[in-house]
Amino acid sequence: MVTNLTPILVAKDLEETVAFYADKLGFGVDFIFKELGIDGYASLYRDNFHINIREGEPPNDPGSFGGISIEVENVDRFYDDLVERRAFPADYPRQFSCIREHPPEDKEYGVRDLFLVDPNGYIITVLTPL
């Protein structure tokens, strides 16, 4: 039985990425580790789930290679929280036509979801099963 799964994303700017997940998505910070000569590493959490961020060079087009999916109890409430936290600023990344500020939508594949992009170009899907 799997009891935990923690994605690890690569970030060019560790502090900017940690701030995005903390300030815009409501994650708490477990730790940020940075030592001379060693790439930085951070662990963040929300509820019982974690995401880790490693400082380095992300892929040229990370959104086409991966991202994360966050299942929540109520995606509409989560969206309202994103708007309140100003997760969609005027200079919000627009590299994919489907990525835009929009309220959650019901999809034919059985979820109500929305998409956003982190500072490194990773696509984040937030969803609630229908």
Side-chain angles (χ1 to χ4, degrees):
M1 171 187 272
V2 176
T3 60
N4 189 24
L5 179 66
T6 303
I8 302 171
L9 301 179
V10 180
K12 187 171 201 142
D13 185 323
L14 184 67
E15 288 78 14
E16 175 189 34
T17 303
V18 167
F20 172 82
Y21 281 89
D23 299 342
K24 306 299 185 195
L25 300 185
F27 279 72
V29 178
D30 281 321
F31 66 83
I32 299 173
F33 176 79
K34 227 173 178 183
E35 198 171 287
L36 190 61
I38 299 174
D39 289 341
Y41 196 88
S43 177
L44 298 104
Y45 66 91
R46 182 156 177 171
D47 300 317
N48 294 323
F49 298 93
H50 291 80
I51 183 169
N52 289 351
I53 310 292
R54 182 180 67 78
E55 193 169 45
E57 195 63 43
N60 287 336
D61 189 6
S64 65
F65 295 103
I68 60 172
S69 178
I70 303 172
E71 186 175 318
V72 297
E73 287 180 6
N74 185 318
V75 70
D76 293 283
R77 220 174 309 140
F78 195 91
Y79 172 76
D80 291 343
D81 186 51
L82 290 175
V83 171
E84 189 175 308
R85 291 172 177 276
R86 300 175 189 226
F88 301 100
D91 61 346
Y92 187 70
R94 305 281 192 233
Q95 64 261 51
F96 303 100
S97 60
C98 70
I99 307 303
R100 62 195 183 285
E101 178 184 352
H102 68 84
E105 300 172 341
D106 289 351
K107 300 295 174 57
E108 64 278 1
Y109 42 88
V111 300
R112 184 167 177 78
D113 66 8
L114 64 90
F115 300 93
L116 60 149
V117 179
D118 86 355
N120 302 287
Y122 291 104
I123 295 175
I124 301 168
T125 305
V126 183
L127 63 95
T128 298
L130 293 174

